[in-house]
Amino acid sequence: MSTLGYFLTGQNNPFVVLLSLLMSCSIWWGVLVIESTIRSLDYLNARKWRIWQTLLLGFGIWAFHFIGMLGWHPGFTLYFDTTLTFTSLIISILAAYSLISAFRMKAPLFSTYILLRTLGFTIGLGIMHYLGIFSAQTVPGAKWDWAWVLTSLVLAIVLSLGAVAWTQWKTKLPASKKRNVRFFVALALGVVLFFVHYTGVIGASFPQGSFCINNAAFSTGTLATIVIICGLILAASMMFTSNIEARIESKLQEQNRNLTNKTELLEQLLFVDTITELPNRNALDQKLRELVKTNHNHAHLIKILLVSYESICDSWGQEFGNKVIHLIKDRINEHKLQSSTLYRVSENVFEILSTHYIPEIPAFASHLSEHISQSFEIDGKSISVGCQIGFATANSYGELTQLPSMARSACDYAQRSSVSWLSFEPHMLKDTRDELEIQGQLRKAIHDSEFKLAFQPKVDANSGELIGAEALLRWSTGDNQFISPAKFIPIAEKYGLINAIGQLILHQSLAQQARWIADHLYLRLSINLSPFQLEQPDLVETIAALLNKYKVPPASICFEITESAAMLRPELTIEKLKKLRQLGVELSIDDFGTGYSSLSLLHTLPIHELKIDRSFVQSIRTGSLPIIRASIQMAKDLRIRTVAEGIESEDERICMVACGVDELQGYLISMPLFGDAFTTFALNHTQVTHEGIF
């Protein structure tokens, strides 16, 4: 029989040996359960549980050690010095603290910090262990086999590194597997601690006739009583911890179910037109992406523009307009192509997508135009709705990605040409001459600093207090005329000028914020970042340098990115936004609800603010209210601030406040103002009345 085997069965009570092994594994199970629980708590509660975790590990290891000592029969009666025994308990708790502090650090396993903490645990565990043996105070003293002593210390190092490694590795496991894997990890750590103790004890041998000189100290019976009490307390604490973990896990699962249900509802609302219950623009974009992914290289897209629909709504109201839309939908469905899907992509636009080759599309377009334009009666009124139709055919992967633009260009040309329908032709997609002319003007404008910033106020939805502003780009031609950003921004992006414009915006915005702060005007300034700026590898460094240059507090700046920009490359965006957040700036998702983001990714974005697009605000009477409410509730669940933009009427303001939005922005509050005008405005007005007048 091996020396260790003989020791375990010859010098120790086998029942106590098994009991100590069970206790060792139980201790680690409790420590790991608490570690999982801590991950879902806030800072203050997590701190309390760290203290409990430290005491559990410290008391547990100490009690385990002395249970092993109680089952040890070296050939004479054991007594344990009171002072040394309780000193070993304190050292055990300190060693536990050293290891537990390594759990909460997000550092590499073999980093200096982790290695020092695990070394502290190893040394503390060794001192506690051998101090416990020394507390017997035998005469003559123990003789040590240093090979076994060294083995116990190596095992202690393995134990500490293994425990830290689990806390780092478990975050990569799926939730369904964590509990089962944790059981085996606790078992493994318990076995290692078991051998740390017994390989250390086997290293001590006592000559024949040895005895304890301090027979007035703890007897084995007294110590057994103390250890049993500690063991019972530890057992009760582990049961309590497991119960708490189960309750927290149940609560988290319930929260996840609620969030999933809300996400599913919101996704359903985002992909369906609330008036016609037809799939909407988001659904069409999603379908086209699926076709691209499956290498489907043939499709037809027909765009139907109802040119007189807005006039009908202006004359007889939105409810009457909705009745018209339903009739138009029915007429299109009556003559819809086989194997095609009808979408309502905007208020006055329908689109038909077919993924099968159909040679008679021109004849179909002509017939559909005539059918839609036929007059009909609603509520005793004879109505005729004119339309323009543009259609395009994709016969390759490249054309499929451009299909919406091709159909839109054909429809635009049909409208400009005053014809009922047109098929797409290549020259329609771009007007190269005008584009190049604007591109040349843009370069000159950048050189001559023709760009200016206007600032639109943002107010607290409940108090009306002015709390921020959004920087909006304006391009002045020198004669008090301004060119719309919608016209020149796409061209700037195409010709690589957008980053230069973005730099100008950053400089002007931060310089203005610095002036406001000097005037004791403290507002949160929102600045838009383009998708191209997000692609810049040095964006974070550039922003950090400019914040330092202008001495602007990072917390006073909020960078806005559009929903579609955030979802172009989600992994890259999340990483870039995390780095920006580390600077201390705030982050916002603009135009929320108009893109095709994956809501499952939204909660991973490190954002502070969600801006509800003006198109939803302005269509609250036509079905967007459920989307707005769901968006605001989801934001509250994620602890994200919400802003409603495009507020232009008192009814819209009242509705948004009732929905629980946090901030308001729009022409009801104020039109965008240039720097000095905004400064005067802000210094003289701190609150907006219910009528929208400061």
Side-chain angles (χ1 to χ4, degrees), residues 187-224:
L187 183 63
L189 294 176
V191 170
V192 174
L193 178 61
F194 174 82
F195 280 104
V196 167
H197 171 81
Y198 285 106
T199 54
V201 172
I202 197 175
S205 60
F206 299 90
Q208 188 73 24
S210 295
F211 62 94
C212 293
I213 60 174
N214 190 3
N215 56 13
F218 280 146
S219 66
T220 53
T222 303
L223 185 60

Side-chain angles (χ1 to χ4, degrees), residues 280-485:
N280 61 11
R281 164 63 69 187
N282 294 334
L284 176 59
D285 290 340
Q286 186 181 60
K287 179 62 177 178
L288 290 173
R289 289 195 302 274
E290 290 174 359
L291 294 177
V292 171
K293 288 180 180 179
T294 56
N295 296 320
H296 193 98
N297 58 8
H298 188 88
H300 301 284
L301 186 63
I302 303 169
K303 178 177 179 178
I304 306 165
L305 173 66
L306 307 179
V307 294
S308 56
Y309 175 73
E310 292 183 358
S311 299
I312 292 172
C313 291
D314 291 341
S315 300
W316 290 294
Q318 190 63 56
E319 185 177 349
F320 187 87
N322 291 343
K323 295 179 181 179
V324 172
I325 284 294
H326 278 287
L327 283 173
I328 297 297
K329 179 192 76 170
D330 294 339
R331 286 191 173 185
I332 296 174
N333 277 327
E334 288 172 4
H335 293 79
K336 190 177 67 174
L337 294 167
Q338 292 183 350
S339 304
S340 63
T341 304
L342 177 62
Y343 300 83
R344 189 189 184 206
V345 298
S346 66
E347 190 174 44
N348 63 337
V349 177
F350 289 92
E351 293 191 13
I352 301 173
L353 177 66
S354 175
T355 56
H356 293 77
Y357 177 69
I358 303 173
E360 66 275 10
I361 278 198
F364 166 77
S366 177
H367 179 69
L368 182 61
S369 175
E370 293 177 2
H371 189 62
I372 291 175
S373 300
Q374 291 177 2
S375 62
F376 48 85
E377 278 199 9
I378 299 179
D379 297 341
K381 299 178 179 67
S382 180
I383 302 297
S384 178
V385 180
C387 70
Q388 258 90 38
I389 296 176
F391 62 88
T393 300
N395 293 306
S396 66
Y397 169 87
E399 289 182 344
L400 189 60
T401 60
Q402 294 293 316
L403 195 56
S405 298
M406 293 159 63
R408 181 171 60 251
S409 296
C411 190
D412 291 344
Y413 265 80
Q415 189 174 16
R416 288 197 295 267
S417 305
S418 299
V419 297
S420 59
W421 62 271
L422 278 177
S423 174
F424 170 77
E425 295 179 10
H427 71 85
M428 297 177 178
L429 196 56
K430 301 295 180 185
D431 192 331
T432 307
R433 185 176 60 186
D434 290 347
E435 199 172 82
L436 289 174
E437 184 179 346
I438 293 177
Q439 181 255 155
Q441 293 174 353
L442 271 174
R443 294 186 185 277
K444 180 178 180 298
I446 294 172
H447 181 269
D448 296 343
S449 299
E450 294 178 4
F451 293 104
K452 298 180 180 180
L453 291 180
F455 302 91
Q456 187 168 38
K458 297 165 71 174
V459 300
D460 183 273
N462 294 307
S463 68
E465 182 182 359
L466 179 65
I467 55 178
E470 180 181 0
L472 301 172
L473 184 64
R474 297 291 183 262
W475 179 14
S476 173
T477 59
D479 53 359
N480 291 326
Q481 297 296 315
F482 293 92
I483 300 175
S484 170

Side-chain angles (χ1 to χ4, degrees), residues 20-36 53 56-57 61 64 103 158-159 162-167 169-170 173 177-195 238 242 245:
S20 66
L21 176 59
L22 177 62
M23 185 173 186
S24 176
C25 295
S26 300
I27 292 166
W28 283 109
W29 171 255
V31 169
L32 298 185
V33 167
I34 293 177
E35 184 63 26
S36 297
Q53 188 182 32
L56 173 63
L57 182 60
I61 290 177
F64 155 77
F103 286 179
V158 172
L159 175 68
V164 176
W166 160 250
T167 63
W169 179 61
K170 73 182 180 68
L173 283 176
K177 295 183 179 180
K178 282 185 181 180
R179 182 181 291 271
N180 292 336
V181 175
R182 184 174 65 198
F183 171 79
F184 289 105
V185 172
L187 183 63
L189 294 176
V191 170
V192 174
L193 178 61
F194 174 82
F195 280 104
M238 283 184 284
S242 296
E245 185 207 23

